[in-house]
Amino acid sequence: AVQLVESGGGSVQAGGSLRLSCAASGFGSSVLCMGWFRQVPGREREGVATIDTDGGITYYGDSVKGRFTISKIDKMHVVHLEMNSLKPDDTAMYYCAVDLGAYCRYGNWPKTVYGYWGQGTQVNVTS
């Protein structure tokens, strides 16, 4: 069975850092894009970052550019999200997602192209 397991969430003061990890299993070799999205109650799920698992092409949401970095472990379906200079506005449930297509390679990464989702990990940033 396919599975996505996120880890690394928690509470941190503004200006601090956290590192999220996501391990995807059960997909064989067909995973092409992995991404991170976040959501707060009452708001749309927002794209944070995505990475092409073959070529390593990355894209970021405007609100996190320059502060967050997505990376991958070669030959494994594992991605990390390094979050620095965290702000209270970064408080959200963070979800890992998998896209079996290649949309992220072309900068096209709406949440609707990701067919598989983890259960989420909570990030709280206090002022």
Side-chain angles (χ1 to χ4, degrees), residues 19-114:
R19 188 192 199 208
L20 305 183
S21 297
C22 174
S25 60
F27 291 94
S29 61
S30 58
V31 173
L32 295 181
C33 295
M34 293 183 70
W36 286 97
F37 291 76
R38 66 187 183 185
Q39 190 170 22
V40 297
R43 295 179 63 178
E44 289 284 323
R45 192 167 292 191
E46 172 191 18
V48 176
T50 190
I51 188 166
D52 162 21
T53 57
D54 283 341
I57 298 171
T58 59
Y59 292 95
Y60 295 91
D62 288 342
S63 62
V64 306
K65 284 179 181 176
R67 300 188 297 123
F68 291 12
T69 303
I70 189 170
S71 61
K72 65 181 180 73
I73 298 179
D74 286 341
K75 301 181 181 179
M76 298 177 64
H77 296 149
V78 175
V79 294
H80 301 297
L81 184 69
E82 191 74 35
M83 306 186 295
N84 298 315
S85 302
L86 282 161
K87 305 174 182 179
D89 284 348
D90 295 317
T91 295
M93 184 71 79
Y94 283 70
Y95 297 91
C96 178
V98 162
D99 166 29
L100 301 184
Y103 292 96
C104 73
R105 293 178 177 176
Y106 310 102
N108 183 18
W109 56 292
K111 58 182 181 292
T112 51
V113 305
Y114 294 82

